[in-house]
Amino acid sequence: MPATISISQPQQRQFNPYSENGGTILAIAGADFSVIAGDTRQSEGYSIQTRYAPKVFQLTDKAVLAVNGFAADGNMFVKKVRQRLEWYRHAHAKDMPLRAIARLIQTMLYARRFFPFYVYNILGGIEEDGTGAVYSFDPVGSYEREACRAAGAAQSLVQPFLDNQIYFKNQTAAPGTSHPVHLPLSTVLSLVIDSFTSATERHIEVGDGLEMYVVLAKGSTAFQTLGGVRGIQELTATEDGEKVFIIRRELKKD
Amino acid sequence: MPMERILSPNDPITAPKMPSLPASSTHITGTSVLAIKFKDGIMMAADNLASYGSLARFKDMQRLQAVGEHTVIGAGGDMSDFQYIQAMLDELIIDEFTAQDGHSLGPAEIHEYLAQVMYARRSKMNPLWNAILVGGVKDGKRIWKINLVLPPRRFLSFVDLLGTTYSASTLATGYGAHIAQPLLRTAVEGKEDILTAEDALKILEQSMKVLYYRDARSIDKYQVATITARGISISESRRLETSWSFAEGIRGYGAQTQ
Amino acid sequence: MFRNTYDSDNTVFSPQGRLHQVEYALEAVKQGSAAVGLRSKTHSVLLALKRSTGELASYQQKMFRIDEHVGIAIAGLTSDARVLSNFMRQQAMSSKMVFNRPIPVNRLVSTIADKAQVNTQEYGRRPYGVGFLVIGQDQTGPHLYEFSPSGNSYEYYAMSIGARSQSAKTYLEKHYESFEDASLEDLIRHGLHALRETLQQDKELTINNTSIGLVGPASAHETNVPPSGPFRILEGDVVQPFLDTMIPKDTGAAAPAPAAAGDEDVQMAG
């Protein structure tokens, strides 16, 4: 094709309704607890927009949602999920169970199949049977329950690390022993912190701050572990049920 | 599922309907807006130029606007869209005022409203082509149980044509995000509760000057808005003092001697 | 049943300048069981008498949560109340979505009052057959409002609606000056005393027929209340400690003022 044609063609500027705002989120389920974490940097291209923009949100006393991708979509999506949960409370005078929130999120995402929320969601919390759970979603609603999941800018750095440390991939148990099915909370918290410090080292879009939410099942023994944790804060709205905590850490800012 | 598949522009099913915009969708544009927190509130600055492409078309454009008693907004990008936003917010404030019931919209509420409008317009593929800073001070929450009123709270936040929002103690739009923001962060971060209005003005002045030296779509005439618990003041236009004598010796600026 | 000449269409005034359909709607409120509301400097409370249609039936719902900071007690047609409370919930949610601000209580009440007024003026409509007591807290403190089908709304220190509510009102009018500085426990006790006045001769307040709704910091008798003191409804066993605070009625005293009744002398509110 002659070059002249492309020059004479009218230039069409297309509006791109999406952007990528960096950052990484991750969640790990324990036997009777769940940890949901995300860094707090928000960026666009090479610019850091802010060092503190939360990506992890408490929905109820047993559910925490992490959103990553296009920040405007993420914030709007969380707002809409919260509205639906409020209507559920009006109708049933209780919080929506975790697995129901997971299905709700899939429905809400798929409703926008042809103009998607550009958001990767990870939902963590406690199921009705008291087990720790993690649900992960793609932007159009495909989802599954897992033991752990990383998403966002540094997914490709963090997920293989978790596969190795949580699922014991490429590790052989010592003769006569087997790998544990669930890890204790102290180990999980260390893994989360290591994941983010490592991602901060190697990925320019990750850093500044780390927010880790811990959801404990009713009467979870992991409660003892949290006693000595520095700067921990309880967010539980009501007693006599699941408990929610937040732990904040600094990450490198370069 | 990979995002490329989900959003593929070639896929007749998945491609969102994108109305084509005219060759130049923005005609009259404004450049950077800067804002910082200081001890008593928020200070914001923007120059008075509205460009028509590379032409310095209007040199007395107001890009800072008070919205109610506690808030100032400053905009870069399309000036007609910004003026539409101003009219919209003015109406909103009048409605709120006429209620006369002791409630008024603070900076946080105005920012949320703006973000919703911007996001709704981007979702209709018909965005308001702006990047806007919202700054203000509003009295803190009242705790009725012990009859305590918390001290006034500073608010500073960003919203753009995509509906993207964020807040920080220093914010800048456009070129300012690249050129001024690092200077502002160095000068302000960690000192938000120490800096006086005088300090804040000096910091903004310096950054405006750097922008004027490097941003070809800027001008040396600008305004500064100060928002404290006592109210809002938007200055008259003022001039930047700049010196171009150094240009003499630079190849490509002054008369060439060889 | 009685009938007036100018009552088949709510948009037509009677020669006396009255809208009979609206007045009948106000009657519907008076047929509902009573609800009482009171306000102090720190709290607003609602108390309502739940009726049961019989031994085999459950007690009717008298209170609805609208938002974190607002709740209502109703008297009249429950089905109309559900429609209106749903509308209030939508309004509250929209304020959160658009401004990230809990809706000011007075504005929420104004929206339903405006909605009710339309039904008193447009052809082919009927007024709502329900009245509300609305409590809530916002930037300007705790509030109590009355909403009625006529489209009126007023703010009160204390108010009662529903069957025999005049008796409760008489009690409230006698004691309201002490409400401002009253503790939550005292406020609720006054509310229960007022509500008691609306009971039929042989009835008393029990954990089954009494609902308490409130906003503001937790009472000594409550557990599990977040520090923000959101709207909550107390029913069943948790009501008992409050009933226990009541001072037994002086049986020797004169009978309470008879409830305003008689179909002919209904006065239009406002």
Side-chain angles (χ1 to χ4, degrees), chain B residues 35-50:
Chain B
I36 57 175
K37 280 186 183 170
F38 71 100
K39 186 162 69 80
D40 304 317
I42 304 293
M43 204 176 277
M44 197 181 287
D47 73 17
N48 288 118
L49 181 65

Side-chain angles (χ1 to χ4, degrees), chain C:
Chain C
M1 208 57 206
F2 64 94
R3 231 188 112 78
N4 288 300
T5 317
Y6 292 89
D7 71 353
S8 56
D9 179 355
N10 66 14
T11 66
V12 175
F13 278 106
S14 78
Q16 287 76 42
R18 293 157 57 168
L19 295 167
H20 285 118
Q21 283 297 330
V22 173
E23 294 181 10
Y24 301 160
L26 295 170
E27 275 309 292
V29 178
K30 288 189 185 163
Q31 311 253 341
S33 63
V36 172
L38 308 84
R39 195 195 72 191
S40 74
K41 243 186 331 208
T42 54
H43 292 82
S44 290
V45 302
L46 294 172
L47 302 103
L49 188 62
K50 290 184 285 188
R51 272 204 292 236
S52 165
T53 50
E55 294 285 303
L56 302 174
S58 64
Y59 285 86
Q60 61 174 171
Q61 190 184 354
K62 288 288 283 179
M63 288 185 194
F64 295 85
R65 175 177 173 272
I66 301 301
D67 198 354
E68 193 88 356
H69 65 303
V70 183
I72 60 169
I74 65 157
L77 304 182
T78 308
S79 48
D80 281 16
R82 280 209 312 274
V83 170
L84 271 175
S85 61
N86 223 333
F87 176 76
M88 291 172 85
R89 287 166 174 179
Q90 284 173 22
Q91 294 295 311
M93 236 177 248
S94 144
S95 178
K96 266 193 192 155
M97 185 55 121
V98 177
F99 295 113
N100 196 206
R101 161 176 84 172
I103 190 165
V105 186
N106 66 306
R107 295 194 189 174
L108 183 58
V109 176
S110 294
T111 61
I112 52 165
D114 291 352
K115 208 171 148 67
Q117 192 280 336
V118 172
N119 289 350
T120 69
Q121 201 174 14
E122 279 188 9
Y123 180 78
R125 291 179 173 273
R126 73 156 172 85
Y128 290 106
V130 70
F132 290 172
L133 290 178
V134 183
I135 61 166
Q137 52 181 356
D138 57 29
Q139 282 282 74
T140 54
H143 297 284
L144 164 67
Y145 290 91
E146 184 206 5
F147 154 80
S148 80
S150 58
N152 283 313
S153 67
Y154 297 106
E155 181 160 22
Y156 289 97
Y157 294 114
M159 190 52 183
S160 63
I161 56 170
R164 301 160 69 91
S165 60
Q166 185 54 49
S167 313
K169 229 171 277 175
T170 306
Y171 176 94
L172 295 171
E173 279 164 4
K174 196 170 155 195
H175 294 95
Y176 80 97
E177 280 167 325
S178 68
F179 296 167
E180 180 82 358
D181 294 309
S183 69
L184 175 57
E185 289 73 19
D186 285 348
L187 201 63
I188 292 176
R189 185 162 46 80
H190 277 302
L192 290 169
H193 286 170
L195 190 65
R196 180 170 61 184
E197 300 294 318
T198 72
L199 289 168
Q200 285 165 297
Q201 207 75 71
D202 54 336
K203 296 273 169 45
E204 56 177 21
L205 295 179
T206 68
I207 59 166
N208 293 318
N209 68 8
T210 310
S211 278
I212 304 176
L214 66 156
V215 284
S219 149
H221 305 310
E222 288 183 283
T223 54
N224 242 340
V225 180
S228 60
F231 177 79
R232 53 220 184 259
I233 298 169
L234 309 180
E235 284 178 323
D237 291 337
V238 292
V239 170
Q240 191 60 55
F242 295 100
L243 293 176
D244 291 343
T245 67
M246 288 173 71
I247 299 159
K249 220 169 158 181
D250 187 4
T251 44
D263 296 312
E264 283 75 27
D265 55 29
V266 173
Q267 294 296 306
M268 189 167 162

Side-chain angles (χ1 to χ4, degrees), chain B residues 38-185:
Chain B
F38 71 100
K39 186 162 69 80
D40 304 317
I42 304 293
M43 204 176 277
M44 197 181 287
D47 73 17
N48 288 118
L49 181 65
S51 306
Y52 181 73
S54 59
L55 177 74
R57 181 65 181 81
F58 301 104
K59 297 184 179 181
D60 196 23
M61 179 62 83
Q62 285 252 7
R63 298 202 290 123
L64 301 176
Q65 167 77 10
V67 182
E69 314 256 291
H70 321 281
T71 313
V72 168
I73 63 169
D78 191 295
M79 287 297 103
S80 65
D81 281 352
F82 177 53
Q83 286 171 355
Y84 165 77
I85 288 167
Q86 285 178 297
M88 188 179 65
L89 291 179
D90 279 345
E91 197 170 317
L92 182 73
I93 291 299
I94 289 169
D95 288 350
E96 186 81 9
F97 176 79
T98 48
Q100 287 290 318
D101 59 1
H103 297 278
S104 63
L105 295 169
E109 288 80 27
I110 287 165
H111 176 261
E112 184 68 34
Y113 180 78
L114 248 190
Q116 295 294 321
V117 170
M118 299 293 270
Y119 183 82
R121 286 291 293 264
R122 87 97 215 189
S123 298
K124 287 183 203 156
M125 296 302 276
N126 181 204
L128 293 164
W129 215 280
N130 299 104
I132 301 171
L133 301 188
V134 181
V137 179
K138 175 119 192 260
D139 39 34
K141 252 197 182 151
R142 185 184 272 265
I143 303 173
W144 286 92
K145 187 183 178 183
I146 46 176
N147 206 20
L148 174 89
V149 183
L150 296 173
R153 283 175 59 88
R154 293 168 299 189
F155 179 93
L156 180 56
S157 220
F158 169 98
V159 59
D160 70 7
L161 71 167
L162 291 173
T164 306
T165 57
Y166 52 89
S167 35
S169 50
T170 69
L171 288 177
T173 73
Y175 265 105
H178 298 104
I179 296 172
Q181 182 70 305
L183 305 169
L184 296 177
R185 282 180 182 160

Side-chain angles (χ1 to χ4, degrees), chain A:
Chain A
M1 192 182 282
T4 47
I5 290 176
S6 62
I7 291 164
S8 63
Q9 293 270 287
Q11 283 263 312
Q12 274 213 342
R13 271 184 57 182
Q14 266 213 324
F15 169 62
N16 177 193
Y18 293 108
S19 181
E20 270 263 21
N21 298 106
T24 275
I25 51 172
L26 111 79
I28 299 170
D32 59 357
F33 67 85
S34 187
V35 178
I36 306 94
D39 69 331
T40 65
R41 176 174 290 182
Q42 183 173 308
S43 59
E44 192 170 34
Y46 291 132
S47 294
I48 295 171
Q49 294 180 318
T50 179
R51 300 191 191 281
Y52 185 70
K55 281 193 277 288
V56 192
F57 302 92
Q58 182 187 355
L59 298 178
T60 67
D61 272 355
K62 44 183 167 276
V64 172
L65 181 64
V67 292
N68 195 214
F70 174 34
D73 270 354
N75 290 327
M76 180 55 77
F77 188 71
V78 170
K79 261 190 135 171
K80 294 203 161 179
V81 171
R82 283 190 162 149
Q83 280 206 330
R84 295 289 292 264
L85 296 181
E86 180 76 2
W87 281 113
Y88 185 96
R89 267 192 291 275
H90 283 319
H92 305 286
K94 63 164 192 160
D95 285 330
M96 192 187 279
L98 190 72
R99 65 190 177 84
I101 299 177
R103 177 61 69 86
L104 171 72
I105 288 173
Q106 107 87 200
T107 311
M108 290 175 69
L109 289 171
Y110 194 80
R112 288 277 297 267
R113 174 62 181 80
F114 300 116
F115 186 18
F117 287 109
Y118 186 9
V119 176
Y120 288 87
N121 283 282
I122 300 177
L123 175 71
I126 304 296
E127 295 281 19
E128 280 170 306
D129 65 4
T131 58
V134 164
Y135 290 90
S136 70
F137 302 79
D138 86 348
V140 288
S142 171
Y143 80 113
E144 62 177 329
R145 186 179 167 177
E146 296 177 289
C148 77
R149 170 61 65 186
Q155 180 189 35
S156 56
L157 281 71
V158 177
Q159 190 64 52
F161 172 68
L162 296 180
D163 288 344
N164 180 246
Q165 293 295 310
I166 308 269
Y167 292 119
F168 298 103
K169 290 285 164 66
N170 302 101
Q171 280 191 266
T172 321
T177 66
S178 64
H179 293 306
V181 181
H182 288 296
L183 296 173
L185 179 58
S186 55
T187 312
V188 168
L189 286 176
S190 302
L191 287 174
V192 172
I193 292 170
D194 288 351
S195 296
F196 277 94
T197 42
S198 307
T200 301
E201 283 298 323
R202 285 291 186 172
H203 200 116
I204 57 166
E205 291 172 7
V206 181
D208 291 333
L210 169 60
E211 287 189 330
M212 291 174 284
Y213 283 75
V214 181
V215 191
L216 298 184
K218 196 173 170 177
S220 167
T221 51
F223 184 57
Q224 272 83 293
T225 311
L226 293 173
V229 176
R230 173 167 53 87
I232 190 165
Q233 194 191 332
E234 183 162 1
L235 302 172
T236 319
T238 54
E239 295 144 42
D240 68 24
E242 294 79 5
K243 288 181 186 296
V244 187
F245 301 86
I246 184 170
I247 303 166
R248 293 195 171 87
R249 287 285 179 277
E250 293 286 301
L251 290 173
K252 284 171 75 175
K253 300 187 188 316
D254 53 3

